[in-house]
C-alpha cells in the first residue's frame, strides 16, 4: 500500500482525476484502495501544519510499513515561490519534524510551475491545434484592448483558466443520442475524462519525470 499526499482539497478536484488517470494508464495492475490511497492536503501549506495532523498520519503510516509520497506544485518565482523555494521548504519541514518521504514537485521536479502545466502538455497535440490557434487569437485580442489611460482593459485568463477553457470547450459524439455533448458534465465538472485519448495524450514526454518518480517510489513496472 502507498499513501499519496496531494494538494487537492478532495477527490472531486481535477488533480485527483489527472493523477488517477496516469496511474491507470501506465500501471493498470495497481488499484486504488488496495494498492494506493490518496490523501488530500487542501493546499501545500497544510503539509507540515500540525493542526491538520498530516505529520502524525504520515508517521503512523510509515510505522506500519506503508509507503508515503508527496506531490505538490512548485508555483512561480513571481509569487515569491518556485521550485527551489518549495524544495527547501519541504527539506526543512522534514528535518524539523524528524521525518522523511519521497516527494515530487510539479511540473518536472526541477522547474517552476503547477500541475496545470502538465495537464496542458497532454492537451497540445495535432488534433487540438485549432482550439489553441483560436485561443491564442482570443488572448491577443484581449491584450490589445486598452482603456483611456492606455492600460490593458481586460484580464487575460491565467494558465488554470486556459486549461479549464480547453476542457470546457470539448464535445464528444454520443452514438446513442446521435449528437455531440459536452465532455464535462455539470455534475462532475472536474472529471475531464483524462483517459479519453481524443482529448488527452498521457504518453507525452512532459509526463516522464512524474512517471519515473512513481515507478521508483511505487516499484511499479511499466507496460
Amino acid at each position: 500500500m502507498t499513501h499519496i499526499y496531494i494538494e487537492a482539497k478532495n477527490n472531486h478536484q481535477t488533480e485527483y482525476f489527472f493523477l488517477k488517470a496516469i496511474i491507470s494508464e501506465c500501471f493498470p495492475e495497481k488499484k486504488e484502495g488496495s494498492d494506493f490511497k490518496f490523501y488530500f492536503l487542501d493546499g501545500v501549506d497544510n503539509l507540515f501544519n500540525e493542526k491538520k495532523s498530516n505529520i502524525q498520519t504520515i508517521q503512523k503510516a510509515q510505522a506500519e510499513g506503508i509507503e508515503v509520497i508527496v506531490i505538490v506544485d512548485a508555483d512561480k518565482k513571481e509569487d515569491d515561490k518556485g521550485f527551489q523555494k518549495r524544495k527547501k521548504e519541504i527539506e526543512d519541514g522534514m528535518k524539523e519534524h524528524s521525518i522523511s518521504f519521497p516527494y515530487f514537485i510539479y511540473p518536472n521536479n526541477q522547474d517552476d510551475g503547477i500541475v496545470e502545466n502538465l495537464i496542458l502538455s497532454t492537451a497540445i497535440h495535432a488534433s487540438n491545434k485549432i482550439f489553441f490557434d483560436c485561443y491564442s487569437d482570443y488572448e491577443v485580442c484581449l491584450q490589445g484592448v486598452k482603456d483611456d489611460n492606455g492600460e490593458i482593459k481586460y484580464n487575460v485568463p491565467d494558465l488554470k483558466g486556459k486549461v479549464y477553457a480547453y476542457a470546457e470547450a470539448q464535445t464528444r459524439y454520443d452514438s446513442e443520442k446521435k449528437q455531440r455533448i459536452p465532455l464535462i458534465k455539470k455534475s462532475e465538472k472536474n472529471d475531464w475524462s483524462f483517459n479519453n485519448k481524443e482529448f488527452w495524450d498521457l504518453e507525452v514526454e512532459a509526463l516522464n519525470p512524474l512517471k519515473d518518480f512513481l515507478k521508483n517510489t511505487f516499484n511499479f513496472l511499466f507496460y
Side-chain angles (χ1 to χ4, degrees), residues 95-129:
K95 183 177 180 180
E96 179 182 349
H97 293 87
S98 300
I99 194 171
S100 180
F101 47 75
Y103 61 87
F104 183 89
I105 302 176
Y106 293 124
N108 56 14
N109 239 3
Q110 65 179 24
D111 294 322
D112 299 345
I114 54 180
V115 65
E116 281 78 11
N117 288 101
L118 285 186
I119 295 176
L120 184 62
S121 72
T122 70
I124 299 178
H125 50 96
S127 62
N128 299 315
K129 185 176 185 300

Side-chain angles (χ1 to χ4, degrees), residues 57-212:
T57 304
I58 291 174
Q59 290 173 329
K60 182 176 183 297
Q62 291 181 330
E64 295 173 356
I66 296 173
E67 179 78 43
V68 174
I69 65 174
V70 172
I71 305 176
V72 296
D73 288 333
D75 291 317
K76 300 182 297 183
K77 288 181 181 177
E78 298 93 299
D79 299 325
D80 193 30
K81 298 176 182 178
F83 172 77
Q84 293 298 336
K85 185 171 183 178
R86 181 72 71 220
K87 179 179 175 66
K88 186 176 187 305
E89 288 174 349
I90 295 175
E91 293 289 340
D92 289 348
M94 289 194 297
K95 183 177 180 180
E96 179 182 349
H97 293 87
S98 300
I99 194 171
S100 180
F101 47 75
Y103 61 87
F104 183 89
I105 302 176
Y106 293 124
N108 56 14
N109 239 3
Q110 65 179 24
D111 294 322
D112 299 345
I114 54 180
V115 65
E116 281 78 11
N117 288 101
L118 285 186
I119 295 176
L120 184 62
S121 72
T122 70
I124 299 178
H125 50 96
S127 62
N128 299 315
K129 185 176 185 300
I130 186 63
F131 170 85
F132 292 104
D133 287 345
C134 292
Y135 196 88
S136 293
D137 291 341
Y138 162 71
E139 291 177 310
V140 171
C141 183
L142 288 183
Q143 292 171 343
V145 180
K146 307 290 180 65
D147 63 17
D148 294 339
N149 296 317
E151 300 290 334
I152 295 177
K153 184 175 182 179
Y154 296 111
N155 179 50
V156 178
D158 60 10
L159 176 61
K160 290 186 178 182
K162 183 175 184 176
V163 173
Y164 185 80
Y166 168 80
E168 190 175 41
Q170 304 306 314
T171 62
R172 60 182 179 83
Y173 186 76
D174 188 314
S175 57
E176 293 183 1
K177 296 182 179 180
K178 295 183 178 180
Q179 65 183 37
R180 299 197 71 83
I181 61 174
L183 174 67
I184 302 177
K185 298 178 182 179
K186 290 184 178 180
S187 60
E188 302 172 1
K189 64 179 181 178
N190 293 313
D191 183 354
W192 296 352
S193 299
F194 287 110
N195 59 342
N196 191 323
K197 296 182 179 180
E198 181 180 354
F199 309 105
W200 315 100
D201 180 4
L202 299 183
E203 297 182 2
V204 294
E205 290 187 9
L207 291 184
N208 287 345
L210 176 57
K211 291 178 181 178
D212 289 343

